[in-house]
């Protein structure tokens, strides 16, 4: 490992190599317009100089046309801009590949946060026993989602992977060939992917990356922990949403859910089959090879088997243990490590590979339950299945009691309503998957937008009515908005105190899973308040759960950028303190976060180890240090409340929605064919805030380079403290509390990725000028006060390599952003009747420029 500082390693291994390979890329002969590669650097230079001089995107583009394309018509000029878009998209891919290739050189894989450092720190602090005890209970679970935050099709992801390998080994000719392939490979999809397509894309990462990275981690722990035979905890699990997430996605059917589960099972057997073939090449011993042949045949058949298998994971483990004993007794323990490693993978992945979650919105359940109510009082299918006719008039407590005791069974075919049939059949699918893939194959039902205990109990009742009287399923509420987070502890208390539901929890190992939504929380309450409301909810939920003898598992719905709960994950989970239950770390991972953090074996293992170490750091090494003092908690609450008021006032501004609709790329997200889900929750023509999905909402601010959800209200909150003479309390909070420092560090990332020079022309807009100035003022205010409280001279001064990566990517896409804003302004002028151009061309230009801008943000995770 180089002793150079991380920023120098980044410059040597990433920035310098990008300049070299980009120079090669720009000269390759794949372009139909011969001078694009020569003109793009000139256009880039005009963008840089133009913004320095206060020029707007239209002026920059028109000056470029006048200077370099004077004798061309509008068609040639438009074609050139589209060519620039295509080139820049590929420059982003090249940068991705170079960063991936340099990962092990830029990051110290055995440094702080690695399993090796965790072990060494335990020895140093004399806490090896505490560490061993914690690791026997602790789990991390990244949950892969298909949420559309990355635009690379599978073919491009493959090129990134191959490019990274070629760059790593300095195969210049191979790099040139792959860059040529990249130049001719389409970057966008003509049709939306199906949910099954999304699942297949993500299963690639399971098959080729997670399988090996998780295996390596488990091997290390089984080798280095005391009494390894007693260590049975599969510390790393993997969750999976594509094919099971129905929230707002009408295209997820029961057939797709079952097909995804089958694909997961067949893929894990494909991996087992490959490993067994490798073992056969080494274990060519008498009494061993025959057993391996039999196992290999079993796994091969299982790849294609559609029905329930006639063996279980333990059967494979038992057979492998027999082989293990034979090798120890008769063959000098040769290749024992490889045998153990394969056994560990079966323990980790079983027949399920990843745990499929089912998710649906509470409002959808309300509609389904109305249908059930209409059927059950009449007798339904089976005389036991009855509910009171006056159910809807009962109190909340009465509803919970009734739902907890409902008995009987219902058949989806009894209902004429298609949505009811689909919802109930999705519950029956859970039972089917558990029979085929094991209980871990699918054992959670997540209820989005949970507000009341009865919404949780309706789902619990539906599950029991679907032929599962004692379900092996966790019913998981998802609390998202700030008011719902505040109510969450009392909602759960009412369930814990219901004897029937408490019996269900007892059957689930006295464990309750609860999901918290960072993305929608930020959209609803702003950055600071959303994070603080979730932190307080976790404390209160932990307290009420401990009071009732229940272990709580928090599952965080976090996106890639800080505006959606992302940012520096390690620091966040290392700052939770003793009042928050922390035996599990579970979080959603999506879009470019999957490829950037878990796209290669090295990055995947590194980031999984970082997640493990963050839990250890908080719970074993520094938990009480992370607790808020009474004074700091009061300061934090004051800041959150001030921020919340500033954000909600901003959100209530009469121009808030129309600004997004008219001045941003919001409506163009639906045209990108990136994901299977619709871009908003309702089909109404009118834009309503509650229908906005978090991804296009946050993404639209990001495309404007304003990143509002990542900072708005933070500057006002800090300024309010300063003007009230309480600045010392804010500084004390920053010094004392890692959680607050992490929040501001992540918010600084949002500020770093903002560039108001791009949209400065909006200041003079007759309708939105004052609104733009209000946003810019809060940006400046936030930047000023974050630098003041941190003592930094520049943003992200404490994370120089991260800042350099952001700046490099922002520099690459500057011409792309300029083209997008130019096209948006043309659309506005055409709609206003100021010019008579073809609007379709410019709308297509806006949509096409979305791709590269989003992909360039992969370092936001």
């Amino acid at each position: 490992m180089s002793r150079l500082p991380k920023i120098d390693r980044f410059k040597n291994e990433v920035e310098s190599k990008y300049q070299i390979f980009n120079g090669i890329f720009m000269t390759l002969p794949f372009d139909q317009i011969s001078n694009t590669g020569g003109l793009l650097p000139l256009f880039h230079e005009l963008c840089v100089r133009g913004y320095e001089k206060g020029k707007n995107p239209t002026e920059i583009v028109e000056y470029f046309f006048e200077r370099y394309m004077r004798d061309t018509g509008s068609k040639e000029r438009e074609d050139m801009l589209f060519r620039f878009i295509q080139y820049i998209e590929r420059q982003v891919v090249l940068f991705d590949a170079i960063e991936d290739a340099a990962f092990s050189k830029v990051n110290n894989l055995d440094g702080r946060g690695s399993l090796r450092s965790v072990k060494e720190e335990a020895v140093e602090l004399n806490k090896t026993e505490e560490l061993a005890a914690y690791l026997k209970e602790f789990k991390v679970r990244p949950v892969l989602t298909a949420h559309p935050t990355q635009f690379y099709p599978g073919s491009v992801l493959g090129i990134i992977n191959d490019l990274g390998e070629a760059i790593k080994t300095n195969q210049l000719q191979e790099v040139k060939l792959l860059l040529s392939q990249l130049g001719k490979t389409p970057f966008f999809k003509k049709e939306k992917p199906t949910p099954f397509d999304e699942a297949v894309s993500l299963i690639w990462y399971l098959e080729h990356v997670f399988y090996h990275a998780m295996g390596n981690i488990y091997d290390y722990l089984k080798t280095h922990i005391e009494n390894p035979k007693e260590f049975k905890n599969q510390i790393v699990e993997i969750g999976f949403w594509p094919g099971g997430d129905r929230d707002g996605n009408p295209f997820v059917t029961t057939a797709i859910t079952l097909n995804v589960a089958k694909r997961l099972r067949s893929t894990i057997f494909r991996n087992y089959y490959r490993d067994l073939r490798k073992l056969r090449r080494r274990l060519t011993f008498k009494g061993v090879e025959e057993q391996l042949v039999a196992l290999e045949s079993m796994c091969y058949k299982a790849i294609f088997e559609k029905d329930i298998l006639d063996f279980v994971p333990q059967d494979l483990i038992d057979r492998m243990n027999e082989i293990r004993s034979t090798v120890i007794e008769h063959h000098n323990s040769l290749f024992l490590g490889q045998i153990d490693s394969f056994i560990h993978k079966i323990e980790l992945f079983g027949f399920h590979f990843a745990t499929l979650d089912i998710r649906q919105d509470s409002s959808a359940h309300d509609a389904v339950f109305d249908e059930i109510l209409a059927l059950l009082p009449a007798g339904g299918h089976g005389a036991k299945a009855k509910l009171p006719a006056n159910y809807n008039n009962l109190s909340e407590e009465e509803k919970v009691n009734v739902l907890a005791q409902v008995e009987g069974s219902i058949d989806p075919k009894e209902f004429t309503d298609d949505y009811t049939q689909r919802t109930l059949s999705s519950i029956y699918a859970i039972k089917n998957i558990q029979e085929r893939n094991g209980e871990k194959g699918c054992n959670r039902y997540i209820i989005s937008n949970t507000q009341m205990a009865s919404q949780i109990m309706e789902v619990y009742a539906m599950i029991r009515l679907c032929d599962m009287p004692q379900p092996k399923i966790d019913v998981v509420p998802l609390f998202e908005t700030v008011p719902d987070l505040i109510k969450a502890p009392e909602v759960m208390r009412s369930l814990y105190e219901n004897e029937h539901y408490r019996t269900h929890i007892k059957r689930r190992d006295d464990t309750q899973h609860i999901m918290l939504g960072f993305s929608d929380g930020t959209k609803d309450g702003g950055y600071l308040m959303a994070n603080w409301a979730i932190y307080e909810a976790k404390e209160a939920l932990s307290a009420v759960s401990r009071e009732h003898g229940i272990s709580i598992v928090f599952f965080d719905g976090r996106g890639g950028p800080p505006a959606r709960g992302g940012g520096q994950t390690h620091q966040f989970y290392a700052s939770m303190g003793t009042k928050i239950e922390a035996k599990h770390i579970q979080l959603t991972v999506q879009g470019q976060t999957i490829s950037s953090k878990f796209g290669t074996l090295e990055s995947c293992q590194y980031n999984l180890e970082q997640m493990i170490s963050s839990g250890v750091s908080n719970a074993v090494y520094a938990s009480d240090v992370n607790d808020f003092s009474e004074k700091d908690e009061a300061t934090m609450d004051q800041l959150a409340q001030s921020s919340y008021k500033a954000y909600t006032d901003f959100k209530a501004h009469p121009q808030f929605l129309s600004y997004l609709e008219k001045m941003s790329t919001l409506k163009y997200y639906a045209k990108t064919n990136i994901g299977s889900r619709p871009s908003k929750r309702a089909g109404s023509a009118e834009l309503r805030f509650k229908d906005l999905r978090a991804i296009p909402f946050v993404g639209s601010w990001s495309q404007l380079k304003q990143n509002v959800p990542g900072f708005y209200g933070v500057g006002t909150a800090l300024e309010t403290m300063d003007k009230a003479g309480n600045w010392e309390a804010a500084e004390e909070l920053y010094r004392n509390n890692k959680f607050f420092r992490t929040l501001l560090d992540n918010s600084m990332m949002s500020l770093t990725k903002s560039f108001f020079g791009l949209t400065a022309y909006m200041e003079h807009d007759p309708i939105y000028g004052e609104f733009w100035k209000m946003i810019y003022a809060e940006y400046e205010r936030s930047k000023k006060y974050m630098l003041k409280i941190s003592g930094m001279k520049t943003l992200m001064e404490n994370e120089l390599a991260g800042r350099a990566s952001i700046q490099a990517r922002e520099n690459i896409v500057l011409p792309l952003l300029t083209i997008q804003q130019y096209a948006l302004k043309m659309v506005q002028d055409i709609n206003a009747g100021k010019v008579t151009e073809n609007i379709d061309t410019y709308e297509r230009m806006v949509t096409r420029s979305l791709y590269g801008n989003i992909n360039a943000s992969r370092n936001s995770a």
Side-chain angles (χ1 to χ4, degrees):
M1 180 70 195
S2 171
R3 293 181 179 273
L4 287 171
K6 187 174 181 179
I7 179 60
D8 291 334
R9 300 197 300 270
F10 179 84
K11 287 178 178 176
N12 292 343
E13 298 297 330
V14 181
E15 284 187 350
S16 297
K17 285 190 176 180
Y18 173 74
Q19 295 303 327
I20 294 166
F21 288 117
N22 186 49
I24 296 169
F25 170 69
M26 299 296 278
T27 60
L28 291 174
F30 58 75
D31 182 21
Q32 292 174 6
I33 301 175
S34 59
N35 59 348
T36 308
L39 287 176
L40 181 54
L42 299 173
F43 180 57
H44 184 278
E45 183 63 24
L46 285 181
C47 292
V48 173
R49 290 206 318 246
Y51 290 119
E52 287 173 354
K53 295 177 180 177
K55 302 291 184 183
N56 65 47
T58 301
E59 290 172 329
I60 292 169
V61 172
E62 289 181 346
Y63 180 72
F64 170 77
F65 287 153
E66 178 62 25
R67 183 164 180 179
Y68 296 109
M69 299 185 71
R70 182 177 296 178
D71 299 324
T72 58
S74 59
K75 178 70 168 62
E76 287 177 87
R77 294 180 176 191
E78 290 160 5
D79 286 347
M80 180 60 76
L81 294 182
F82 277 112
R83 284 285 162 190
F84 283 167
I85 291 170
Q86 290 177 296
Y87 263 67
I88 296 163
E89 285 173 340
R90 287 153 179 79
Q91 286 178 312
V92 172
V93 168
L94 176 60
F95 195 87
D96 287 347
I98 292 169
E99 246 189 347
D100 286 347
F103 189 87
S104 61
K105 294 180 180 177
V106 174
N107 298 280
N108 185 355
L109 302 188
D110 290 323
R112 188 165 183 79
S114 67
L115 289 179
R116 179 176 172 178
S117 77
V118 165
K119 182 187 174 187
E120 289 173 351
E121 194 168 358
V123 172
E124 191 177 316
L125 298 172
N126 198 26
K127 289 195 172 186
T128 52
E129 288 185 12
E130 291 98 320
L131 174 63
Y134 182 68
L135 290 178
K136 286 176 182 175
E137 295 184 300
F138 178 59
K139 288 184 186 292
V140 299
R141 183 191 292 189
V143 179
L144 306 188
T145 81
H147 292 352
T149 56
Q150 178 170 280
F151 291 77
Y152 294 142
S155 55
V156 175
L157 287 172
I159 296 171
I160 294 175
N161 183 68
D162 295 343
L163 253 179
E165 290 301 314
I167 290 166
K168 197 183 296 184
T169 51
N170 294 313
Q171 298 178 55
L172 185 58
Q173 192 56 40
E174 181 70 9
V175 169
K176 289 177 74 172
L177 279 170
L178 288 166
L179 288 174
S180 295
Q181 180 189 357
L182 190 65
K184 291 187 171 292
T185 301
F187 266 52
F188 62 96
K189 300 165 184 174
K190 293 181 180 179
E191 295 180 357
K192 277 181 175 290
T194 67
F196 185 74
D197 294 335
E198 292 170 331
V200 169
S201 295
L202 291 190
I203 287 171
W204 185 92
Y205 290 102
L206 297 181
E207 181 178 3
H208 298 285
V209 183
F210 282 95
Y211 180 77
H212 303 287
M214 290 166 64
N216 290 346
I217 288 170
Y218 198 47
D219 288 348
Y220 182 91
L221 288 172
K222 292 281 275 190
T223 306
H224 289 82
I225 200 164
E226 292 179 20
N227 303 316
K229 286 186 178 179
E230 295 177 15
F231 186 76
K232 299 292 184 183
N233 177 32
Q234 290 88 45
I235 192 167
V236 188
E237 303 172 325
I238 190 82
F240 205 74
W241 272 18
D245 182 9
R246 287 165 161 71
D247 181 11
N249 193 340
F251 308 113
V252 178
T253 64
T254 302
I256 282 177
T257 302
L258 292 171
N259 284 334
V260 169
K262 289 174 188 173
R263 184 65 171 248
L264 285 165
R265 191 180 77 172
S266 67
T267 305
I268 192 59
F269 274 109
R270 187 181 298 118
N271 281 37
Y272 290 163
Y273 175 73
R274 288 182 188 133
D275 276 2
L276 283 165
R277 285 183 65 83
K278 289 175 186 173
L279 278 172
R280 270 189 65 196
R281 291 179 66 180
R282 297 290 170 261
L283 302 177
T284 52
F285 316 138
K286 185 179 179 182
V288 173
E289 190 175 18
E290 300 85 349
Q291 294 183 67
L292 282 175
V293 170
L295 277 173
E296 189 181 305
S297 177
M298 286 169 65
C299 290
Y300 183 78
K301 289 176 182 175
I303 294 171
F304 306 101
E305 180 60 64
K306 292 183 171 59
D307 295 321
I308 298 171
L309 300 172
D310 59 2
F311 60 97
V312 295
Q314 191 59 45
D315 294 332
L316 293 183
I317 292 170
D318 290 345
R319 289 196 179 206
M320 285 303 303
N321 277 326
E322 288 176 22
I323 292 171
R324 187 179 191 276
S325 298
T326 303
V327 168
I328 292 171
E329 291 171 19
H330 302 291
H331 304 294
N332 304 324
S333 298
L334 284 170
F335 306 112
L336 196 64
Q338 292 180 32
I339 295 170
D340 286 341
S341 183
F342 182 59
I343 292 171
H344 295 162
K345 288 189 175 77
I346 303 170
E347 290 175 354
L348 280 174
F349 302 112
F351 292 174
H352 64 284
F353 208 163
T355 300
L356 190 64
D357 287 336
I358 305 296
R359 183 173 78 130
Q360 182 55 283
D361 190 86
S362 61
S363 60
H365 298 140
D366 292 341
V368 170
F369 212 73
D370 285 341
E371 292 287 320
I372 294 173
L373 279 171
L375 179 76
L376 290 194
H381 182 271
K384 291 181 183 177
K386 290 184 180 180
L387 281 170
N390 66 335
Y391 173 82
N392 285 323
N393 296 323
L394 298 178
S395 68
E396 179 70 3
E397 185 180 352
E398 288 171 332
K399 284 181 178 178
V400 169
N401 281 327
V402 166
L403 292 166
Q405 300 177 68
V406 67
E407 292 182 349
S409 63
I410 51 178
D411 185 340
K413 293 174 185 174
E414 289 185 89
F415 297 89
T416 56
D417 180 67
D418 177 63
Y419 205 83
T420 302
Q421 285 187 359
R422 290 174 63 174
T423 301
L424 295 176
S425 64
S426 73
I427 297 172
Y428 274 101
I430 299 175
K431 185 181 180 183
N432 183 298
I433 293 167
Q434 289 190 353
E435 289 169 350
R436 293 166 183 268
N437 294 15
E439 185 184 323
K440 284 188 175 181
C442 186
N443 57 17
R444 293 203 301 199
Y445 196 113
I446 299 164
I447 309 161
S448 301
N449 196 28
T450 302
Q451 298 167 329
M452 298 177 291
S454 60
Q455 292 172 327
I456 302 168
M457 291 305 295
E458 283 178 355
V459 172
Y460 175 64
M462 283 194 285
I463 292 171
R464 293 181 68 235
L465 289 170
C466 290
D467 204 20
M468 288 180 277
Q470 294 187 352
K472 297 177 180 179
I473 299 171
D474 296 306
V475 183
V476 186
L478 166 50
F479 299 105
E480 300 179 83
T481 67
V482 172
D484 292 342
L485 288 164
I486 293 168
K487 288 191 299 183
E490 287 312 307
V491 168
M492 296 314 299
R493 180 186 294 278
S494 69
L495 291 182
Y496 294 159
E497 292 176 355
N498 181 284
E499 61 173 309
H500 299 282
Y501 189 76
R502 184 65 185 85
T503 301
H504 166 68
I505 295 178
K506 192 168 186 177
R507 288 196 302 266
R508 302 302 295 159
D509 297 323
D510 280 321
T511 301
Q512 173 68 51
H513 293 238
I514 294 178
M515 189 173 177
L516 303 166
F518 283 77
S519 295
D520 281 291
T522 304
K523 180 171 81 84
D524 174 65
Y527 177 73
L528 208 57
M529 184 53 153
N531 281 276
W532 180 235
I534 288 173
Y535 187 94
E536 287 194 303
K538 283 188 174 183
E539 280 195 340
L541 286 164
S542 296
V544 74
S545 299
R546 288 169 180 173
E547 181 187 325
H548 288 83
I550 293 166
S551 177
I552 197 167
V553 173
F554 290 117
F555 174 23
D556 294 334
R558 296 165 67 90
R564 299 192 53 239
Q568 300 304 318
T569 306
H570 177 274
Q571 295 300 327
F572 178 84
Y573 286 109
S575 68
M576 290 293 99
T578 60
K579 296 177 184 177
I580 291 175
E581 197 69 50
K583 287 181 182 175
H584 290 244
I585 291 177
Q586 297 192 9
L587 70 160
T588 52
V589 186
Q590 53 198 242
Q592 75 270 31
T593 317
I594 297 171
S595 58
S596 64
K597 298 295 183 183
F598 304 98
T600 66
L601 178 58
E602 289 171 336
S603 64
C604 183
Q605 187 167 332
Y606 175 84
N607 283 297
L608 288 174
E609 289 188 21
Q610 290 285 315
M611 288 172 68
I612 294 170
S613 80
S614 67
V616 171
S617 175
N618 176 59
V620 180
Y621 300 151
S623 190
D624 54 343
V625 176
N626 293 329
D627 288 340
F628 278 84
S629 68
E630 199 171 307
K631 182 181 177 184
D632 284 344
E633 187 170 353
T635 303
M636 185 71 216
D637 197 56
Q638 189 178 342
L639 286 166
Q641 293 296 341
S642 296
S643 173
Y644 186 47
K645 185 180 185 311
Y647 181 79
T648 50
D649 287 349
F650 170 67
K651 198 173 68 173
H653 193 287
Q655 290 177 333
F656 181 85
L657 279 178
S658 63
Y659 179 81
L660 270 178
E661 195 168 23
K662 299 284 182 9
M663 307 300 281
S664 84
T665 59
L666 182 67
K667 70 177 183 179
Y668 296 95
Y669 269 80
K671 301 178 181 182
T672 57
N673 293 330
I674 176 179
S676 66
R677 292 201 307 178
S679 59
K680 59 179 184 174
R681 284 189 167 88
S684 60
E686 179 191 357
L687 181 64
R688 298 181 300 180
F689 183 79
K690 68 176 185 176
D691 296 334
L692 280 177
R693 291 197 176 281
I695 290 169
F697 175 74
V698 171
S700 296
W701 290 113
S702 175
Q703 296 280 320
L704 287 168
K705 287 295 146 191
Q706 293 175 5
N707 290 322
V708 160
F711 70 82
Y712 202 97
V714 179
T716 294
L718 291 169
E719 183 183 63
T720 302
M721 293 286 285
D722 191 22
K723 289 186 175 178
N726 294 330
W727 185 250
E728 193 174 314
E731 286 187 317
E732 194 174 330
L733 171 65
Y734 185 84
R735 281 195 305 273
N736 294 345
N737 192 266
K738 183 186 283 189
F739 175 76
F740 182 59
R741 290 197 301 275
T742 300
L743 285 190
L744 293 197
D745 282 351
N746 287 338
S747 190
M748 279 191 191
M749 187 186 291
S750 290
L751 294 174
T752 303
K753 301 181 84 167
S754 298
F755 175 50
F756 279 80
L758 181 72
T759 57
Y761 70 91
M762 294 182 187
E763 180 181 1
H764 308 292
D765 188 275
I767 299 173
Y768 299 107
E770 292 304 313
F771 188 74
W772 183 91
K773 283 191 269 189
M774 188 169 71
I775 299 170
Y776 181 57
E778 182 64 13
Y779 162 80
E780 289 289 343
R781 191 180 296 117
S782 297
K783 182 178 175 182
K784 170 187 171 182
Y785 279 100
M786 279 193 232
L787 290 176
K788 181 177 179 180
I789 200 168
S790 66
M792 297 181 197
K793 291 183 173 58
T794 58
L795 295 171
M796 295 182 69
E797 191 178 293
N798 58 336
E799 183 47 62
L800 293 177
R803 187 179 73 176
S805 178
I806 289 171
Q807 289 173 336
R809 290 170 177 277
E810 296 298 310
N811 185 52
I812 291 169
V813 297
L814 185 63
L816 195 58
L817 293 163
T818 304
I819 292 168
Q820 186 183 76
Q821 284 299 314
Y822 165 75
L824 274 172
K825 189 67 172 65
M826 286 295 290
V827 169
Q828 293 161 18
D829 288 348
I830 292 166
N831 285 329
K834 294 180 181 178
V835 293
T836 55
E837 297 283 345
N838 183 357
I839 195 169
D840 290 344
T841 299
Y842 293 98
E843 290 199 320
R844 191 159 52 90
M845 202 176 284
V846 173
T847 304
R848 288 288 290 111
S849 58
L850 278 166
Y851 292 75
N853 290 337
I854 286 287
N855 290 334
S857 296
R858 84 190 297 221
N859 57 2
S860 63

